[in-house]
Amino acid sequence: MLNARDPSGFILLRRRAADARILSAMLRLALLLTALLLPALALAGDEAPKKPTKIDPSITAFVKRAQAAAAGTDDDALHALFDVNAMSSALEAAGYMNLVPADRRERLKRQAERGLIRAILEGRLVSAFDSFRVRTVTKGESEGARVLYLWLLDEVGGMVRARWYLQRNDASWKITDVEHLDIGVRVIPFMGMLILERVSGGLAPWMMHAPAFSRSYALLGEGKFAEALLLLKPLESVVFPDALAAILQTLLGLCEMTTGSFDAAMVHLDAAAELPGDTPIVHLMRGTIHNLEFRHGLALREMKRYEALLDADPESGLEMGIALHGLDRKAEALRVLTPAVRGAPKDPETLAYYALCLPAARRSELGKRFGSLDDPVLGHREIADIVLEKGAVALLRLFGGYLQAARPKHYDVLHYEGQALYLEKKYREAADRFEAGRDAMLAAPEGERPDDADTRQVYVDAVMDALLDARAPIEAYTRTPQKAHAFTYIGEELLWSMNADTMRSYLAHVRTDPPKMGADELRWRLAFYAAEADRFEGKDDAVVKAQRTLLPLLRAAVAEDDENESLESLLWDVEDRLLRALIRLKKFDDARPLAAEVSTRDEDHRYLVLIHLAHGKAAEAIALIERAVREGTDALDYFEDPDMREALAAPPFAALREKLLPK
């Protein structure tokens, strides 16, 4: 959930929605791989598509029967969907049996049939789906054969794109092959490769790692992405067949993407893309990451590649629409978002971007589309956060009206009206709306309040944000019931103003109405903020005196309670302000021991770099910055540091800037 003052959470919001769709599809595909012990994969067939034929109602009825069988527990019903004999014959016809001595063929054929049955029942070749769309039906190779291209969708918007190969026998349809298009797996070649492994002397060494894949899928299904990543990482050293290696890299990319490590995710997805074959979901994930990081031109390229491999669908339409909107090509974005919003009428994110591109004269249709959402409150919240991030006040109010009609007394109506007023810079009016929304949220029954504490905190902080921008920090403090939180929140915000008088008047009020927190921490924070007021006025000697007094007290407190993140953060701030003040005062001998300690303990070399810069030692400063980057620090932490930005813009650092900064 966002607020207008700080929309930085927007990337997290988008990532969560994208992760849910992609993860759902990947887990469904994983069932097949796990059941077959992950034998070598064959890429899906690339036959030229035939001209689509009319969709026979009996085919639609068959898919509905398959949907019921996949959702149930009757193995016989699921088994009855398939013609195992025809599938076994297809393995023979494909020539896989020819490499087997004649006296072993019958036995191997029976093994293959058992493997196919296992894949049907355990791997769920037709995994459960909540709805489906038959996109096209084309004629197959033999009389009475048909090839279906269809989408299998689940309730969170996850989609598996598949081809089913059907054969009509005695007025009933049977499946003779299944092709999962997202990861390029077709079952008959898949099983054929397993036969080849058997013929070549048993299980290949890489097959022994199948259990790790199975466990990782279970962890992903539980949302334990970090644990799944730890399990999958060691598999990078295993030599897998190319297509399975692509799936490993794709899963690693998914884990990294879900935890917000976009750069690491792209490394894995790029590795998957470089392997033979072309896995569509890799392009979908790369396009999503490019959009999340506002590289909309690259996202558009990925989505075009994805649609060339499959065709347009609601997910690709959304990502392509986001890319085109980001490139300010709204008319084109609307063209791709129109079928996407029709194809995914319950997806708030698609509706939000559709609304952003829709001409004002056509906005009357949005009310009906809003009514299609499963949950008006959660749907509105996702839509409102997106249009808020884009600064679309009119749309924010329009969707607020739809929510008010659906849930007249809901606190989000008040909160997002406050966001609209905030965008219009009506800060005091916004604060009043925010306060009414906050109080209504806090008074709501437990089941009607947001589940997580961070989201609930947004309603509380919004009141303070508006009053801070109205330049009323004391009023922000008095109107917030959580005084301990308000004290530090407002104090940290006032650091950006660098107004000593405002800080001192705020601290004077807090002393008359102190928050309920530990007496020592209150005293230390008051002293720290008072020293910050001195820093604003350039009184570095006073800063050094105050921070030197605080440093041993905070170190002792943190040593006694090393899980107190609040005190640990305050200690870091005290060390930072003390070191910078000493360097500005050119007291390098006093600064150097603490700077060296911080460098060793935290791998934070900025203070040593500042000392080298003050002495004109460019080579030493460059060596330390390069070391920091190797250790994982973002180069921008140095080049955008206010105390070294000017020095690092000088000619001696030109080559370093070229080497480390993003192009």
Side-chain angles (χ1 to χ4, degrees):
M1 188 173 186
L2 305 185
N3 63 69
R5 192 167 197 258
D6 178 18
S8 59
F10 180 67
I11 290 179
L12 176 62
L13 172 87
R14 276 235 57 230
R15 193 183 79 231
R16 285 174 177 164
D19 289 345
R21 290 192 298 270
I22 294 171
L23 176 61
S24 174
M26 290 298 293
L27 289 177
R28 289 151 63 87
L29 293 168
L31 289 169
L32 173 63
L33 305 180
T34 304
L36 291 174
L37 289 178
L38 301 175
L41 303 177
L43 293 178
D46 56 358
E47 306 92 357
K50 297 180 175 62
K51 184 178 180 181
T53 65
K54 185 178 180 180
I55 299 175
D56 188 321
S58 66
I59 288 179
T60 304
F62 174 79
V63 179
K64 288 182 179 178
R65 182 158 65 90
Q67 181 182 10
T73 57
D74 185 349
D75 285 350
D76 290 339
L78 191 61
H79 188 191
L81 300 173
F82 293 83
D83 188 338
V84 176
N85 288 331
M87 297 172 83
S88 177
S89 297
L91 284 169
E92 288 189 273
Y96 292 111
M97 302 290 189
N98 294 340
L99 298 174
V100 184
D103 61 341
R104 291 179 55 198
R105 287 180 191 172
E106 189 60 32
R107 179 184 174 190
L108 192 59
K109 182 179 179 182
R110 288 196 301 272
Q111 288 179 337
E113 288 177 355
R114 286 198 296 271
L116 287 166
I117 293 170
R118 181 183 175 208
I120 291 166
L121 300 182
E122 296 181 31
R124 314 295 286 189
L125 290 188
V126 177
S127 55
F129 52 95
D130 295 292
S131 61
F132 67 89
R133 290 186 194 148
V134 178
R135 301 293 292 167
T136 60
V137 177
T138 55
K139 289 184 178 180
E141 296 296 332
S142 60
E143 183 67 27
R146 294 291 185 271
V147 181
L148 275 63
Y149 171 42
L150 67 168
W151 297 343
L152 309 176
L153 303 103
D154 65 21
E155 60 184 5
V156 300
M159 180 189 298
V160 170
R161 299 142 189 91
R163 285 196 187 103
W164 291 359
Y165 294 78
L166 304 186
Q167 182 68 47
R168 189 160 197 159
N169 295 317
D170 300 326
S172 67
W173 294 102
K174 296 277 189 179
I175 299 174
T176 60
D177 204 353
V178 172
E179 186 177 346
H180 289 286
L181 296 166
D182 287 297
I183 56 173
V185 174
R186 185 168 169 180
V187 172
I188 296 301
F190 195 108
M191 292 296 294
M193 294 303 292
L194 177 58
I195 291 170
L196 293 181
E197 290 289 348
R198 293 284 187 185
V199 171
S200 64
L203 294 176
W206 54 264
M207 286 186 173
M208 299 300 101
H209 297 279
F213 271 88
S214 302
R215 290 196 298 274
S216 71
Y217 295 138
L219 290 170
L220 289 170
E222 296 170 10
K224 298 177 180 177
F225 303 106
E227 292 179 41
L229 186 61
L230 288 174
L231 197 60
L232 291 168
K233 269 290 185 183
L235 301 186
E236 288 189 275
S237 61
V238 179
V239 179
F240 288 107
D242 285 339
L244 187 53
I247 290 183
L248 172 62
Q249 292 295 337
T250 303
L251 287 174
L252 286 165
L254 175 65
C255 290
E256 297 283 15
M257 174 182 172
T258 306
T259 55
S261 301
F262 297 146
D263 290 344
M266 287 298 285
V267 169
H268 292 299
L269 295 173
D270 289 347
E274 289 171 3
L275 290 161
D278 210 345
T279 308
I281 204 166
V282 169
H283 297 289
L284 176 62
M285 293 170 70
R286 290 204 299 188
T288 300
I289 291 173
H290 284 316
N291 270 333
L292 287 167
E293 298 208 313
F294 307 104
R295 298 188 294 263
H296 299 302
L298 294 175
L300 187 61
R301 185 183 69 184
E302 291 291 341
M303 298 323 302
K304 285 180 177 179
R305 180 59 184 157
Y306 173 87
E307 292 191 352
L309 291 169
L310 297 178
D311 67 357
D313 58 46
E315 291 181 21
S316 68
L318 171 61
E319 295 300 336
M320 190 171 284
I322 291 171
L324 289 165
H325 178 272
L327 295 169
D328 201 25
R329 293 158 61 178
K330 288 187 178 180
E332 294 172 74
L334 184 62
R335 282 197 291 273
V336 298
L337 286 166
T338 298
V341 80
R342 290 173 184 159
K346 297 183 178 183
D347 181 45
E349 188 178 16
T350 305
L351 179 54
Y353 279 95
Y354 177 76
L356 285 166
C357 298
L358 196 67
R362 291 179 51 191
R363 286 180 178 170
S364 59
E365 71 179 72
L366 294 175
K368 183 177 180 180
R369 295 193 183 280
F370 183 83
S372 298
L373 301 178
D374 285 332
D375 186 322
V377 172
L378 295 179
H380 170 267
R381 197 171 290 163
E382 187 170 345
I383 292 168
D385 284 345
I386 292 170
V387 300
L388 169 63
E389 192 270 340
K390 304 301 180 187
V393 176
L395 282 175
L396 195 59
R397 286 207 167 96
L398 183 65
F399 281 105
Y402 298 149
L403 177 62
Q404 187 168 26
R407 297 285 300 277
K409 297 182 180 180
H410 198 274
Y411 49 83
D412 272 0
V413 173
L414 295 163
H415 178 78
Y416 282 100
E417 173 58 23
Q419 298 287 17
L421 289 165
Y422 186 96
L423 287 174
E424 294 173 333
K425 301 187 185 305
K426 299 175 181 178
Y427 299 125
R428 286 199 167 275
E429 293 175 59
D432 292 340
R433 289 290 196 284
F434 284 143
E435 188 172 41
R438 178 199 69 194
D439 293 345
M441 183 274 294
L442 293 173
E446 186 64 35
E448 294 183 16
R449 279 181 264 166
D451 293 332
D452 63 290
D454 288 344
T455 301
R456 292 194 296 271
Q457 197 64 52
V458 169
Y459 295 88
V460 175
D461 295 348
V463 182
M464 292 188 284
D465 289 337
L467 289 170
L468 283 167
D469 281 323
R471 297 178 181 173
I474 294 173
E475 186 178 350
Y477 180 77
T478 59
R479 288 174 68 172
T480 302
Q482 302 167 331
K483 288 290 188 286
H485 170 71
F487 170 48
T488 55
Y489 187 92
I490 295 167
E492 295 301 308
E493 289 295 319
L494 291 180
L495 297 183
W496 296 99
S497 72
M498 298 191 71
N499 187 305
D501 291 338
T502 300
M503 177 66 86
R504 290 189 180 113
S505 64
Y506 170 65
L507 297 178
H509 177 82
V510 171
R511 290 186 183 98
T512 66
D513 181 19
K516 292 181 180 179
M517 61 192 307
D520 286 339
E521 182 175 356
L522 175 60
R523 185 170 60 255
W524 295 336
R525 286 195 175 277
L526 286 169
F528 173 75
Y529 290 136
E532 288 290 84
D534 289 333
R535 178 173 68 86
F536 300 159
E537 294 177 335
K539 298 176 180 177
D540 284 327
D541 286 317
V543 171
V544 168
K545 181 179 179 181
Q547 307 298 14
R548 272 184 169 158
T549 301
L550 286 172
L551 184 60
L553 298 172
L554 282 165
R555 284 188 165 181
V558 169
E560 185 176 332
D561 183 6
D562 59 3
E563 293 185 1
N564 190 324
E565 295 181 2
S566 176
L567 287 181
E568 191 173 1
S569 174
L570 181 58
L571 173 58
W572 184 92
D573 285 339
V574 166
E575 289 178 338
D576 176 77
R577 302 309 194 270
L578 174 57
L579 280 166
R580 291 177 187 272
L582 287 169
I583 292 168
R584 284 194 296 270
L585 292 169
K586 302 188 185 304
K587 295 182 177 182
F588 303 118
D589 290 340
D590 290 341
R592 194 173 283 108
L594 179 56
E597 179 186 343
V598 171
S599 177
T600 302
R601 183 191 69 210
D602 302 333
E603 294 184 346
D604 185 349
H605 312 305
R606 284 176 298 175
Y607 310 108
L608 290 178
V609 169
L610 282 169
I611 292 171
H612 287 317
L613 291 173
H615 286 86
K617 296 180 177 179
E620 289 85 346
I622 289 170
L624 272 177
I625 294 172
E626 289 179 329
R627 175 182 165 188
V629 172
R630 287 195 303 273
E631 292 170 345
T633 301
D634 191 329
L636 291 175
D637 287 355
Y638 287 81
F639 285 93
E640 293 185 354
D641 186 295
D643 288 342
M644 64 179 82
R645 184 188 301 129
E646 184 177 348
L648 294 181
F653 301 95
L656 187 67
R657 291 195 301 272
E658 180 68 22
K659 177 181 177 181
L660 298 181
L661 293 183
K663 303 296 185 288

Short mmCIF file of all heavy atoms in Angstrom, two decimals, residues 51 98 142 193 255 259 411 494 515 557 587:
data_model
loop_
_atom_site.label_atom_id
_atom_site.label_comp_id
_atom_site.label_asym_id
_atom_site.label_seq_id
_atom_site.Cartn_x
_atom_site.Cartn_y
_atom_site.Cartn_z
N LYS A 51 -4.18 -24.34 -40.33
CA LYS A 51 -5.27 -23.38 -40.27
C LYS A 51 -6.29 -23.83 -39.24
O LYS A 51 -6.72 -24.98 -39.24
CB LYS A 51 -5.93 -23.25 -41.65
CG LYS A 51 -7.02 -22.19 -41.71
CD LYS A 51 -7.58 -22.08 -43.11
CE LYS A 51 -8.68 -21.01 -43.15
NZ LYS A 51 -9.27 -20.90 -44.51
N ASN A 98 13.64 -48.56 -31.42
CA ASN A 98 14.50 -49.23 -32.40
C ASN A 98 15.92 -49.48 -31.86
O ASN A 98 16.63 -50.35 -32.35
CB ASN A 98 14.59 -48.42 -33.69
CG ASN A 98 13.26 -48.37 -34.41
OD1 ASN A 98 12.39 -49.21 -34.17
ND2 ASN A 98 13.09 -47.39 -35.29
N SER A 142 -3.51 -37.37 -38.34
CA SER A 142 -4.29 -38.54 -38.76
C SER A 142 -5.78 -38.21 -38.80
O SER A 142 -6.21 -37.15 -38.32
CB SER A 142 -4.04 -39.71 -37.81
OG SER A 142 -4.42 -39.34 -36.49
N MET A 193 13.10 -39.63 -24.35
CA MET A 193 14.43 -39.36 -23.83
C MET A 193 14.72 -40.21 -22.59
O MET A 193 15.85 -40.64 -22.36
CB MET A 193 14.58 -37.88 -23.49
CG MET A 193 14.52 -36.96 -24.72
SD MET A 193 15.78 -37.37 -25.96
CE MET A 193 17.26 -36.91 -25.08
N CYS A 255 13.12 -17.21 -7.90
CA CYS A 255 13.42 -17.01 -6.48
C CYS A 255 14.05 -15.64 -6.24
O CYS A 255 13.67 -14.91 -5.31
CB CYS A 255 14.35 -18.10 -5.98
SG CYS A 255 13.60 -19.73 -5.87
N THR A 259 12.34 -12.23 -4.22
CA THR A 259 12.95 -11.58 -3.07
C THR A 259 13.47 -10.18 -3.40
O THR A 259 14.11 -9.55 -2.56
CB THR A 259 14.10 -12.45 -2.51
OG1 THR A 259 15.04 -12.72 -3.56
CG2 THR A 259 13.57 -13.76 -1.97
N TYR A 411 -13.17 2.54 5.46
CA TYR A 411 -12.17 3.56 5.77
C TYR A 411 -11.30 3.94 4.58
O TYR A 411 -10.73 5.02 4.53
CB TYR A 411 -11.29 3.11 6.94
CG TYR A 411 -10.74 1.72 6.83
CD1 TYR A 411 -9.59 1.45 6.10
CD2 TYR A 411 -11.37 0.65 7.46
CE1 TYR A 411 -9.08 0.17 5.99
CE2 TYR A 411 -10.86 -0.64 7.37
CZ TYR A 411 -9.73 -0.88 6.64
OH TYR A 411 -9.22 -2.15 6.53
N LEU A 494 12.40 15.39 9.96
CA LEU A 494 12.94 16.74 10.12
C LEU A 494 14.42 16.81 9.79
O LEU A 494 14.95 17.91 9.54
CB LEU A 494 12.70 17.25 11.55
CG LEU A 494 11.23 17.54 11.91
CD1 LEU A 494 11.14 18.03 13.35
CD2 LEU A 494 10.63 18.57 10.95
N PRO A 515 7.01 10.74 24.92
CA PRO A 515 6.40 9.46 24.53
C PRO A 515 6.72 8.39 25.56
O PRO A 515 7.68 8.50 26.33
CB PRO A 515 7.07 9.15 23.19
CG PRO A 515 8.40 9.81 23.29
CD PRO A 515 8.19 11.06 24.10
N ALA A 557 24.74 -0.30 25.35
CA ALA A 557 23.34 -0.73 25.29
C ALA A 557 23.14 -1.78 24.20
O ALA A 557 22.41 -2.77 24.39
CB ALA A 557 22.44 0.47 25.04
N LYS A 587 40.25 16.67 11.70
CA LYS A 587 40.84 15.93 12.81
C LYS A 587 40.98 14.47 12.39
O LYS A 587 40.33 13.56 12.91
CB LYS A 587 39.96 16.07 14.06
CG LYS A 587 39.89 17.51 14.59
CD LYS A 587 39.06 17.60 15.86
CE LYS A 587 39.07 19.03 16.41
NZ LYS A 587 38.30 19.16 17.68
#
